[in-house]
Amino acid sequence: MTLEAATTAEYAPVSQQLPADGELEREGQTSPVIVQVPLSGERSWLNKLSTWTATTIVLSYICLPLSIGFLAFLWSNPKGLGANKTWFRIVLGDWTLKSITIASFIIRTAISTQAAISTSMLASIILERRQVMIYDSAPILALRFVNDGPFSLLFALKNTYRRAQIWMSAALLLFGTTLLLQFTSTGLVTDVGMGTLFASPKQHQTMVAVSFSNINLTDIRSVRPIPYWLEATPNFPVFAERYEAVPNNETSNSARDTGLTHRAFVPVSNSSMRTSIKEFVGIATVLDSRVTCVRPKMHPCLSLGYTLEDGFFLNGTLAPDFTPVGLILANEPCVTQDLRQILYNITGPDSRNSTINMNWAQQLQFAHDDGEWNVVQKHMLWGPGLVSSLDPRFPTIRKYNLSHFQMSNPSNRSFGLSYKMENDNFPLMTGRSYQLLNITSSANLPTLINGPGPTSFYFSSSQLVKGALELVISPQDEWLIFTIPIVPEWHVSVSLCFDSFVSVDANVTISTNATLTEPELGTWIATDLKFDTRAIRTQLGGRYSQVQSQADRAIMNLETTPHDLRRQVQDWFDTGVPQNMSDVSIYGQNFIRDSIQDKRSFGTYMCAGCGLQVVSNVMLGYSNNNPLQQQVWQDVMRYTNDSALAWQAYFTLLSRTVYYDVLSYFDVVEDASISWFLGAQFPRSYLGLRVVMTVLSIHCLLVALIIFAFIARTRYSRVGDNAWQCLSQANYHKSDNLFHEVTRMTDGEVERYLETKGLSTRLVSLEVIQEYPRWRTGIKAVEE
């Protein structure tokens, strides 16, 4: 058979007697073994990979995308919002780190297997397509069957780096990607951090109100050792809020208005649980916390009288200059507890003998200026009232601006003032009305005349007597300012404020997008002798004059609309009217309103360090406040110059303290649907994953190129089941005795032996060293 005939087929059966004549003799076997031998010595591309090797490569390229896909799934929700249920179960089941470890193990196993196979392929390519030193040929031949990865190839090629050229660079890059990917889990874990998730809503029993049978226990509030307005606020629980600004066509530059503001307190006493609420659907106490402050009308009868014994008295009817939304009976005079009728006998060199009857006189208290707003709040026992937007009749009053209302106050005290619509016996839901006297720049009992002189004076803007002392009245924002030119730096400002602080227990929906932090009282500022209240004022919306977002204030969102709240109140009205009830008929509603003011006082002072001077017995009817509450009020006034925001912040502080104090008495149980934010470890960033995916992409592309090059650029090598091939190809065609001489030598001894033979620099490659009919492949000197 000729060589040309042998090449007509790639493989042909050959009978061989082994070992003597190429035939394999077996016990009980007389016929020779027929094996398929490549006639040309070259292998087809299908025959270059063993089944195990091909399967391993395919499986690795399947496992890697699946592992990366799973990791991408774990990394799909860095904010923890809107999570997939499976993702949610993995994270909450504390399987995040375990899953990353498993996926990283699969990735490391796959790339390590790929690296080993690629190392064998690179060794084969280098042996066949490049030249290596004869000394390095032995380890490279062995690496084609088994190796520790690309580093073993780099070590074997230490003497022939330049000869390997691009394949040496491929080995270096393969070593780098394989090494980096051993730290896959380390890189991925750097993206993992503590975050918040929210669980699916579940039903929870909550205490929502005080029952009728238990409501008498809450009377303890009225006889508690320290009233709420004198008690230091212990904490500052988070609340939910819904805000609607008053339209521009319903506002005026003579008024300050907080807008329609509903604030809800959730019936959860534990702070950590309260701040972990994602969504609450159930009964909560909703507080209408709107406040509006209006400038009084200016009219000719406004005047001041002064006596040395009693100080100043303001004379003249006070009524709002503007009617805010929901304010009823706006033209009624605002009557405070200390109104009286006083006769002044005016005598002096600059005036004729006169008697002045001050019909609407009220005493003006004074204090030393201590750098704070020095304001006296006087409760009204008669006058206009602000209807709550929780009242079902509020839209009708707002739309038609009705004027037919009835006002009554049997107790002749501010807490007894109530309002009704005509033909409606159910009282309107209203808050309190009060007059503000700003006496910040006033000195205590100023001396108007030096030396002997009259002890009483009359100051009028209309000049009662020619040449008499003059009173100047000017408007500024919500204030009406009184000044006396002959008394420098002296002035008194008057404003009228109305709030709608009433509460109802309503079915609401409350939500937030993140866990919240309840503010704490700031550090003590020794130079100012004050606390830092910025965090508290931010939560209350009293740090800036502009409206801040709920996220900036760390409060929750009250999703329930005013219309839905009024509908619920209407249902309670419909239940209560037939029973002749005077208020909404669910448990002990609106308990907050009666607990945030002293029913026996005429009003309150709002100046912590002014050193208020008592000038008459009537002063004893005013209550003081806790210094911290006063400071919050002062700070809001100082930074916003908005008296409505200041009173809203102050009364919210008191209302919240009342609510969570009374919460311990709640005994009415209702189901609420609550979902909570939960702390868990999960991927919060993408840096580690991106690095791993980048390196892995380079690695997979490199391995694919090496596989392609191996199949396309080699002729004699096979990867996988090639142990005997590697062993048999380790022969040097130049001298059959070479390998017989070194069978018991160490690597160092072999290297020296080759030097003695002049072979240390001999370059070899894997080639055919004997052709047909006995094809042999081995290492062959390049020059021959």
Side-chain angles (χ1 to χ4, degrees), residues 662-716:
V662 179
L663 183 61
S664 58
Y665 297 99
F666 284 8
D667 62 342
V668 177
V669 179
E670 294 284 350
D671 285 336
S673 175
I674 306 177
S675 62
W676 309 89
F677 284 108
L678 304 173
Q681 283 187 319
F682 60 92
R684 305 298 309 280
S685 65
Y686 294 102
L687 179 60
L689 180 64
R690 287 170 179 167
V691 171
V692 169
M693 291 184 67
T694 300
V695 177
L696 186 59
S697 298
I698 296 172
H699 176 87
C700 290
L701 179 61
L702 178 62
V703 170
L705 291 175
I706 292 172
I707 294 173
F708 176 79
F710 172 76
I711 293 175
R713 304 285 289 175
T714 60
R715 295 180 296 173
Y716 316 114

Side-chain angles (χ1 to χ4, degrees), residues 393-405:
R393 294 155 290 188
F394 176 80
T396 303
I397 296 172
R398 180 178 188 175
K399 182 177 181 180
Y400 298 105
N401 194 22
L402 302 179
S403 58
H404 302 292
F405 299 95

Side-chain angles (χ1 to χ4, degrees), residues 322-378:
F322 169 74
T323 304
V325 174
L327 189 69
I328 60 175
L329 299 176
N331 294 322
E332 289 289 330
C334 300
V335 180
T336 58
Q337 192 74 34
D338 57 354
L339 285 182
R340 66 185 73 179
Q341 189 179 51
I342 297 178
L343 291 176
Y344 278 88
N345 293 317
I346 305 301
T347 59
D350 295 329
S351 62
R352 297 186 299 270
N353 294 335
S354 304
T355 300
I356 307 300
N357 186 1
M358 302 183 72
N359 293 314
W360 292 94
Q362 54 181 309
Q363 191 176 34
L364 302 183
Q365 295 79 20
F366 291 90
H368 297 292
D369 182 13
D370 191 42
E372 295 183 337
W373 285 76
N374 187 351
V375 172
V376 179
Q377 179 208 51
K378 294 186 174 186

Side-chain angles (χ1 to χ4, degrees), residues 563-698:
H563 172 76
D564 187 48
L565 291 172
R566 287 193 291 268
R567 180 188 56 77
Q568 296 184 58
V569 176
Q570 182 63 57
D571 293 339
W572 301 325
F573 277 4
D574 294 340
T575 303
V577 169
Q579 302 177 20
N580 297 320
M581 301 191 68
S582 60
D583 208 336
V584 290
S585 63
I586 175 172
Y587 315 125
Q589 296 228 45
N590 206 13
F591 64 87
I592 292 178
R593 180 180 183 271
D594 295 333
S595 302
I596 59 177
Q597 67 172 354
D598 188 351
K599 294 182 179 180
R600 296 178 293 274
S601 71
F602 297 163
T604 184
Y605 299 127
M606 198 53 72
C607 185
C610 294
L612 205 60
Q613 302 294 316
V614 176
V615 296
S616 70
N617 291 334
V618 73
M619 299 285 289
L620 299 177
Y622 291 84
S623 62
N624 209 330
N625 290 275
N626 179 272
L628 176 59
Q629 297 170 1
Q630 293 192 41
Q631 186 191 331
V632 171
W633 187 94
Q634 292 281 344
D635 288 347
V636 175
M637 283 293 296
R638 183 178 296 110
Y639 290 101
T640 67
N641 199 31
D642 190 326
S643 53
L645 282 178
W647 289 110
Q648 183 189 56
Y650 167 74
F651 283 122
T652 298
L653 277 177
L654 288 181
S655 301
R656 186 169 52 186
T657 302
V658 172
Y659 176 81
Y660 284 102
D661 181 52
V662 179
L663 183 61
S664 58
Y665 297 99
F666 284 8
D667 62 342
V668 177
V669 179
E670 294 284 350
D671 285 336
S673 175
I674 306 177
S675 62
W676 309 89
F677 284 108
L678 304 173
Q681 283 187 319
F682 60 92
R684 305 298 309 280
S685 65
Y686 294 102
L687 179 60
L689 180 64
R690 287 170 179 167
V691 171
V692 169
M693 291 184 67
T694 300
V695 177
L696 186 59
S697 298
I698 296 172

Side-chain angles (χ1 to χ4, degrees), residues 288-319:
D288 186 345
S289 57
R290 181 189 174 198
V291 180
T292 181
C293 293
V294 187
R295 185 171 64 224
K297 291 180 180 179
M298 189 185 305
H299 57 84
C301 296
L302 285 173
S303 59
L304 288 173
Y306 173 78
T307 66
L308 185 61
E309 294 79 11
D310 296 324
F312 284 97
F313 280 85
L314 172 65
N315 182 63
T317 301
L318 296 180

